[in-house]
Amino acid sequence: MSGATTAAYLARRAAQKERVRILYRRALKDTLNWAVHRHLFYQDASDLREKFEANRHVEDLDTIDKLVAAGEATYDKWRHPDPYIVPWAPGGSKFTRNPVPPSGIEIVYDYGRENND
Amino acid sequence: MALRSAVLRYIRVPVQTLTATESKPQPQWSLRASLRLFSSHDVHLTKEEVIDRVLDVVKSFPKVDPSQVTPNVHFQKDLGLDSLDNVEIVMALEEEFKLEIPDKEADKIDACNLAIEYIYNHPMAG
């Protein structure tokens, strides 16, 4: 039924591929959060890549959907409670630390001249 | 404008030796020194620096042939990489430039020139 390369099939495959890429990206960042030391990170990253490569040649759309959903569930389970976020990004430590002051506000420099009109 | 560009670059004074027959040569001021700037965000990256660092990151990727990397190369078509390798390269670029790229944007970075454009236009690229 879904063997022909119709537009709907291709659209669904493309959406699935995007989900897989985003899942891989988040899982890799999470791996970096857990395994801070670089040699441990490289080992864990290769293991993650092996898991993704094992399911590379699956063709059936429903199986792919189930695998991606299972992968996302595993990712949710393993998420780090205190991830490293770049300081200026939302969630980081410098986010909105120095917001731009609203326009129209000025500082009036009149030191020493306050009561001498 | 010239002052601004002079302030934004760095100063390096090369050592020059004068021979007896030559007249005094013009000092070549390629401005590259340590200038203390008191505002936190006046120093944006120049395009050559961005290109150099991006190409270094791509060349040091183990599955990539370093001789084929140019600023216009496409990761999947020209270098023969995978979409997952693409994700890894984008992550390496994020680590190099201390950026945080949103997932949707990161998905679209497919080639070197896109990466260079994005990083050069990002206000917080370090």
Side-chain angles (χ1 to χ4, degrees), chain A residues 18 20-22 24-26 28-29 32 38 41 45 49 52-53 56 84-86 88-89 94, chain B residues 63 76 82-85 87-88 90-91 94-95 98-104 106-107 122 124:
Chain A
E18 188 174 336
V20 168
R21 284 198 294 264
I22 292 183
Y24 182 62
R25 182 181 152 82
R26 289 191 183 160
L28 204 56
K29 285 194 169 176
L32 189 55
R38 220 59 198 188
F41 167 65
R49 185 69 194 258
F52 272 79
E53 292 281 336
R56 179 187 265 255
Y84 172 71
I85 303 178
V86 177
W88 48 263
K94 253 172 99 170
Chain B
K63 295 181 195 174
Q76 297 187 29
D82 198 11
S83 58
L84 297 185
D85 292 328
V87 171
E88 288 181 11
V90 171
M91 259 208 63
E94 274 191 348
E95 287 194 320
K98 295 185 238 179
L99 290 177
E100 179 86 13
I101 306 180
D103 288 340
K104 293 284 180 181
D107 206 28
H122 202 288
M124 307 287 306

Side-chain angles (χ1 to χ4, degrees), chain B:
Chain B
M1 191 61 195
L3 175 64
R4 182 168 188 265
S5 57
V7 162
L8 283 180
R9 280 176 281 159
Y10 298 94
I11 303 174
R12 174 176 61 213
V13 181
V15 173
Q16 311 229 351
T17 54
L18 296 176
T19 61
T21 54
E22 271 181 12
S23 59
K24 194 166 187 176
Q26 297 296 326
Q28 282 153 347
W29 291 90
S30 65
L31 309 175
R32 293 193 140 248
S34 40
L35 213 51
R36 287 289 304 271
L37 297 167
F38 291 99
S39 141
S40 60
H41 271 308
D42 270 356
V43 194
H44 290 286
L45 294 175
T46 60
K47 195 109 187 216
E48 302 95 45
E49 283 181 15
V50 173
I51 294 179
D52 285 338
R53 281 164 75 178
V54 167
L55 291 187
D56 280 340
V57 166
V58 177
K59 280 177 196 169
S60 62
F61 198 67
K63 295 181 195 174
V64 159
D65 183 16
S67 59
Q68 291 209 346
V69 177
T70 71
N72 283 328
V73 81
H74 195 275
F75 294 139
Q76 297 187 29
K77 292 181 201 157
D78 296 330
L79 293 176
L81 292 179
D82 198 11
S83 58
L84 297 185
D85 292 328
N86 201 349
V87 171
E88 288 181 11
I89 287 187
V90 171
M91 259 208 63
L93 288 172
E94 274 191 348
E95 287 194 320
E96 166 76 18
F97 289 96
K98 295 185 238 179
L99 290 177
E100 179 86 13
I101 306 180
D103 288 340
K104 293 284 180 181
E105 294 290 322
D107 206 28
K108 293 182 196 145
I109 295 183
D110 255 347
C112 265
N113 50 355
L114 284 178
I116 293 168
E117 286 297 320
Y118 186 86
I119 293 172
Y120 182 63
N121 293 331
H122 202 288
M124 307 287 306

